[in-house]
Amino acid sequence: MNVVVIGAQWGDEGKGKIVDYLANEAQIIVRFSGGANAGHTIVIGEDQYALHLIPSGILYPDKMVVLGAGMVIDPVALFTELDMLRDRGIDTTGRVFISDRAHVVLPRYIEIDKERDQSRKKPIGTTGRGIGITYSMKSDRDGIRIADLAWKEKMAELEPPDRDFLAPYRERLLAMAVDLCTYLVYRKNAQVLFEGAQGALLDLDMGTYPYVSSGMSCAAGAAIGGCVGPRNLDKVLGVFKAYSTRVGNGPFPSEFDTGSEDELCRFVRNTGREYGVTTGRPRRCGYLDLVALRYACLTNSIDSLVMTHLDVYDALEEVKACIAYQIGDRIVESFPASIEALNNAKPVLRSFRGWKKSLSSALTYEEFPEAAMEYIDFIERFCETPVDIVSVGYDRKETIIRKNPWTK
């Protein structure tokens, strides 16, 4: 069975924890998009791991993980991450593979990335990791793939600094390379978890362009970056937070007002630890945008939703969510492509009762306060998609499963 996990907002939804949790029942975890610009935090008891390139399932000793064809690989970041895991007692020997179709990030791409964003009249706010430039080189057909490292003629065409950079990594990368399509065909009876990066609203085509990532962070990207046909994807899970966040520039209709709602913003940011794993930047915070979430469900065929960070709202008397936009004198209930429209949108809010009770001790959904259930029930009805998993803390055990995602 092939299960896809994507972010249903602007990234940072808690996908890492959910993939780590679901990987317990998977044999193979395939990360299908992005690069070292992504960041997943995994908490197991007192231990915390920050992963950027390697799929979250690596923390299980018996799982195989693959960096997919849709990824862009920074060799320095990759081997630094592998060394970190080794130093912390995680044996990755023979368990980490790379699709031979994945592209390689070169140091000069990183410099170009930083310079290009700084020179824009309206910077996008990239992480400066060379990700967008690598995807641009890929589209221009001037990139370097893992498979190309064994192609002597191609390597000879590179500029000397690029060849010198790749030289110490070449054999190590080739030793990890696999034909991902064939690899999965021979394991067609395995439980495979496809892990996305960023979020659906940052997808190059379906997101808030140009304030998007350069890869395919939508569910369709799992087929392309995971080297499987789209009809071989059995289920799509969309992860979202009980509120909304965004890193970098771009429209954010439900963002907390920096004046009247500054205290609420600080509370959510600090309680939810809303600081970038990769950059350390504070995340912009706002009300749950149900218009955007419903759009993500529709455009990604999301079968079930995974709600995280619900416990952040435990202490509030009242919880609000955005159910429409006011743009000028119009009420808009769909998610527009126009950045101008989104920038001018004001959230139409609906209020819900707070539950004023800690959720972290709940072992079943039935133990949730009625008010928390009402909030979730409204989200399900609004998005016409069930919320099958609810996370109420950072630890693996603080996860409530309402329906097992490994069932068709």
Side-chain angles (χ1 to χ4, degrees):
M1 183 174 181
N2 295 328
V3 173
V4 180
V5 176
I6 65 166
Q9 296 168 309
W10 281 284
D12 308 308
E13 302 94 347
K15 296 182 297 298
K17 176 199 168 171
I18 300 305
V19 170
D20 171 74
Y21 186 90
L22 297 178
N24 181 49
E25 295 189 46
Q27 285 84 50
I28 303 167
I29 299 89
V30 178
R31 165 93 176 268
F32 64 82
S33 66
N37 56 334
H40 298 324
T41 301
I42 312 298
V43 179
I44 306 171
E46 299 296 319
D47 296 321
Q48 182 169 308
Y49 301 84
L51 301 175
H52 301 276
L53 281 167
I54 300 174
S56 304
I58 193 63
L59 299 179
Y60 291 92
D62 59 338
K63 310 301 178 184
M64 301 297 177
V65 303
V66 186
L67 284 67
M71 290 190 67
V72 291
I73 313 297
D74 180 341
V76 176
L78 173 62
F79 290 111
T80 297
E81 199 163 305
L82 286 170
D83 289 345
M84 177 273 292
L85 290 169
R86 180 201 62 206
D87 293 343
R88 297 190 62 181
I90 306 297
D91 184 7
T92 64
T93 306
R95 297 199 295 122
V96 181
F97 303 95
I98 307 174
S99 167
D100 54 12
R101 297 176 183 274
H103 278 246
V104 179
V105 180
L106 297 174
R108 61 185 173 91
Y109 297 173
I110 297 173
E111 296 306 316
I112 295 171
D113 192 6
K114 294 175 181 177
E115 292 171 4
R116 182 171 294 182
D117 203 45
Q118 290 171 0
S119 67
R120 288 186 171 102
K121 291 183 178 179
K122 293 183 178 180
I124 294 172
T126 73
T127 60
R129 300 297 178 102
I131 307 303
I133 302 303
T134 310
Y135 279 117
S136 294
M137 298 295 283
K138 175 181 177 178
S139 297
D140 288 341
R141 291 155 291 184
D142 290 321
I144 300 295
R145 302 175 304 161
I146 296 296
D148 299 333
L149 299 177
W151 184 8
K152 293 182 179 179
E153 183 180 352
K154 183 69 174 180
M155 295 299 290
E157 294 174 357
L158 297 179
E159 295 296 324
D162 293 341
R163 280 203 306 272
D164 292 344
F165 167 74
L166 289 171
Y169 300 110
R170 179 175 173 273
E171 294 302 326
R172 296 174 72 185
L173 290 169
L174 286 172
M176 301 165 69
V178 293
D179 172 353
L180 183 53
C181 174
T182 302
Y183 180 87
L184 292 177
V185 165
Y186 280 112
R187 294 160 180 81
K188 60 183 179 181
N189 294 323
Q191 302 264 70
V192 183
L193 194 58
F194 291 86
E195 175 184 11
Q198 286 83 44
L201 301 179
L202 291 176
D203 182 76
L204 184 61
D205 291 299
M206 304 309 297
T208 51
Y209 186 90
Y211 301 97
V212 292
S213 185
S214 299
M216 295 186 70
S217 51
C218 61
I224 299 171
C227 297
V228 297
R231 287 189 292 181
N232 288 330
L233 300 176
D234 298 298
K235 186 171 288 189
V236 178
L237 275 61
V239 185
F240 75 104
K241 281 189 282 209
Y243 48 91
S244 299
T245 64
R246 180 163 195 165
V247 172
N249 299 325
F252 189 0
S254 66
E255 186 170 14
F256 294 137
D257 186 276
T258 54
S260 61
E261 296 166 331
D262 189 54
E263 184 177 345
L264 177 59
C265 182
R266 284 199 304 272
F267 170 80
V268 169
R269 180 180 291 146
N270 292 331
T271 306
R273 305 182 200 175
E274 297 299 348
Y275 297 88
V277 176
T278 302
T279 63
R281 289 183 293 184
R283 296 173 185 143
R284 298 159 63 190
C285 300
Y287 299 108
L288 174 59
D289 188 335
L290 288 173
V291 179
L293 183 61
R294 180 170 58 191
Y295 168 79
C297 289
L298 292 171
T299 54
N300 291 276
S301 297
I302 292 175
D303 295 291
S304 66
L305 288 164
V306 180
M307 186 182 208
T308 66
H309 290 238
L310 183 60
D311 53 300
V312 171
Y313 276 164
D314 283 353
L316 298 185
E317 294 280 355
E318 182 183 51
V319 173
K320 296 181 181 179
C322 170
I323 59 170
Y325 305 139
Q326 181 171 345
I327 304 175
D329 58 357
R330 296 182 301 126
I331 298 298
V332 176
E333 297 181 342
S334 58
F335 192 73
S338 168
I339 298 302
E340 182 181 26
L342 287 169
N343 281 336
N344 292 325
K346 303 297 181 185
V348 177
L349 300 174
R350 172 167 176 148
S351 297
F352 301 85
R353 291 186 299 147
W355 40 93
K356 300 287 289 180
K357 180 181 178 180
S358 174
L359 298 177
S360 60
S361 60
L363 298 177
T364 65
Y365 185 71
E366 287 67 33
E367 295 178 49
F368 278 15
E370 183 180 352
M373 291 185 183
E374 289 174 355
Y375 185 51
I376 293 171
D377 179 66
F378 183 85
I379 293 167
E380 291 182 314
R381 287 186 283 110
F382 191 95
C383 296
E384 298 182 338
T385 309
V387 176
D388 287 340
I389 301 175
V390 183
S391 171
V392 291
Y394 293 94
D395 199 275
R396 279 177 182 167
K397 64 184 180 182
E398 295 173 319
T399 311
I400 306 298
I401 304 295
R402 301 178 68 192
K403 181 180 179 181
N404 187 342
W406 292 107
T407 56
K408 292 186 179 181

